[in-house]
Amino acid sequence: MTEKVPALVIGAGPAGLMAAEALGAAGHRVVIAEAMPSPARKFLMAGKSGLNLTKDEPAGVFAARVAGGAAPASLRDAPPGYLNEEELRSIVEGFGPADVMDWARGLGIALFAGSTGRVFPVGMKASPLLRAWLARLASQGAELRVRWRWTGFADEGLAFDTPEGSRVLRAGATVLALGGASWPRLGSDAAWVPWLRAAGVAVAPFRPANMGFRVGWSAAMAPLQGTAVKGTRLSAGPLESRGEWVVTATGIEGGAVYEISAALRDGAAGVVDLVPDLDARALAQRLARPRGKLSVGNWLRRALGDPVKVALLLEWGRTLPDSPAALAARIKALPLRHAGPMPIERAISSAGGIEAGALSPELELSARPGIFAAGEMLDWEAPTGGYLLTTCLATGRHAGRAAARRLDHELSAAR
């Protein structure tokens, strides 16, 4: 059974819903096909610990952080239609932090910015925003079809498994927003990759992003499992973070780790400064004081003021240097020893996806005109802290508007 629809969005996460909103605002009726029993499951999970919508900083600064995870911005060497760093930056600047905040407030959601500039709903949860968003889409005439799982291309249409059996939809314009490969149980299972590759669309392999790292702790670290590490600086390659992180039974997790995770994953050495607010000389003077009858652990605890920091030093810093200057240097640049990233199933997001060369600046697939893509399907990655969600919204809006322009052009040509 084949059905013709004006516009189709596949995937009811943030990018897909924003694409549908853009199409609806342009006057086009949209069908939203979602494989799961309900929409935006990963979005709702993110909201359980406080929905970080965006970060309150200038659009240009924000976009530059995102564009650092795009393809190199070499316009001279890029093939025609290549979505490069400058183009991703332009998309995000077109719907940056201030725009996201205005959009959320327009849905009746009160917001606040934390001390780091991260923006949250006052109620912290994602569900009130999602309910208001779905109501807006319904008022535009959008139709949400759940348990409609895309199964690939069918001649000039797109095939689905549905509660009523196999169906084929033919749309004037389609936006794909099926997510990446992290948290597959919530819907982003990357099942679409072979279908797009078979259609001639280049897709880079997926890798975990914004994830923790495995560590084979010694038995001495067992009492510290679940303990937050505060007041340190983590760095890897060009990235660094001053946030908190957590010692877990199997490794390290938390915002500070996620902020440097891309460089760690790609082979950069990780370094921990256990006392970032104290320079090496002052620390060496502190360590030069007589130890007396104190054990090494108690002596270090007195010098560092935190048993967790001492435990990490003894875990990752042995054999400890004898001289105060050398020990201070070790404390200020402690090697972060890990056994690789946590699996992609546990990552907050994923890197990889549809390669830039397969897309026009409008996010249209060169191999399949009339089909656009957005969100984590694209080959980019962004740090946590609001960057990821805002960019999904921005690319969804960009693709939805481009799809609407295509439909408008076709309607004008048909008259």
Side-chain angles (χ1 to χ4, degrees):
M1 179 180 285
T2 299
E3 177 186 356
K4 292 184 178 180
V5 297
L8 173 64
V9 172
I10 306 180
L17 295 180
M18 185 57 79
E21 181 175 334
L23 279 157
H28 300 287
R29 188 175 71 84
V30 186
V31 170
I32 307 166
E34 167 58 45
M36 303 299 285
S38 58
R41 290 200 163 192
K42 188 176 176 183
F43 178 73
L44 289 172
M45 186 196 73
K48 286 185 177 180
S49 57
L51 181 67
N52 185 190
L53 272 176
T54 191
K55 188 169 184 180
D56 189 9
E57 62 186 9
V61 174
F62 186 98
R65 289 288 306 274
V66 173
S74 175
L75 294 175
R76 183 184 63 234
D77 299 329
Y82 194 86
L83 179 73
N84 56 54
E85 188 174 313
E86 292 303 319
E87 287 162 349
L88 181 58
R89 185 191 302 247
S90 177
I91 290 172
V92 177
E93 285 185 344
F95 196 69
D99 302 296
V100 170
M101 288 187 276
D102 287 344
W103 166 79
R105 292 186 183 108
L107 289 170
I109 304 301
L111 306 173
F112 76 96
S115 59
T116 62
R118 296 185 180 195
V119 177
F120 302 86
V122 169
M124 296 298 285
K125 300 300 182 183
S127 51
L129 188 152
L130 179 61
R131 286 194 296 270
W133 197 1
L134 293 174
R136 172 182 288 178
L137 290 169
S139 72
Q140 292 177 337
E143 179 187 355
L144 174 63
R145 301 181 182 180
V146 296
R147 294 189 173 91
W148 274 58
R149 180 175 294 278
W150 184 42
T151 57
F153 297 102
D155 297 324
E156 295 184 12
L158 295 103
F160 294 85
D161 279 340
T162 81
E164 292 76 35
S166 298
R167 296 289 186 271
V168 174
L169 296 183
R170 292 182 62 185
T174 299
V175 178
L176 303 178
L178 292 122
S182 66
W183 289 98
R185 66 182 179 83
L186 299 177
S188 298
D189 58 8
W192 52 268
V193 171
W195 308 325
L196 289 193
R197 283 179 175 160
V201 179
V203 181
F206 280 110
R207 300 176 294 161
N210 293 305
M211 65 291 175
F213 287 79
R214 294 177 286 111
V215 178
W217 299 116
S218 70
M221 292 295 291
L224 296 174
Q225 292 174 11
T227 302
V229 184
K230 304 178 182 181
T232 65
R233 177 168 52 228
L234 303 184
S235 59
L239 304 178
E240 69 172 46
S241 172
R242 287 289 300 265
E244 292 186 15
W245 46 293
V246 179
V247 173
T248 72
T250 56
I252 53 176
E253 297 271 3
V257 174
Y258 303 152
E259 287 193 36
I260 65 165
S261 61
L264 275 181
R265 179 200 61 209
D266 293 343
V271 176
V272 185
D273 184 346
L274 292 173
V275 285
D277 297 321
L278 192 65
D279 64 36
R281 182 176 179 181
L283 178 59
Q285 291 174 345
R286 183 182 295 182
L287 293 168
R289 297 169 185 165
R291 196 176 94 189
K293 296 182 179 180
L294 292 173
S295 67
V296 172
N298 286 334
W299 171 63
L300 289 171
R301 199 169 291 121
R302 179 172 294 182
L304 300 181
D306 186 339
V308 181
K309 293 180 179 181
V310 173
L312 289 168
L313 177 61
L314 296 175
E315 184 77 8
W316 284 338
R318 290 187 181 272
T319 302
L320 297 181
D322 292 327
S323 77
L327 181 55
R330 179 73 53 83
I331 292 169
K332 296 286 291 178
L334 180 67
L336 192 164
R337 306 187 191 280
H338 65 88
M342 296 291 186
I344 197 167
E345 293 81 6
R346 291 183 54 186
I348 291 175
S349 59
S350 55
I354 299 172
E355 294 184 11
L359 295 159
S360 77
E362 299 288 89
L363 302 182
E364 187 173 20
L365 300 181
S366 301
R368 299 287 303 216
I371 297 180
F372 302 78
E376 284 192 68
M377 290 186 75
L378 310 180
D379 186 13
W380 62 280
E381 64 177 305
T384 56
Y387 299 97
L388 182 69
L389 181 51
T390 290
T391 305
C392 285
L393 295 171
T395 56
R397 175 178 176 270
H398 188 81
R401 286 188 160 192
R405 287 192 294 270
R406 180 183 178 89
L407 290 172
D408 290 339
H409 176 76
E410 291 179 351
L411 289 171
S412 297
R415 291 192 182 104

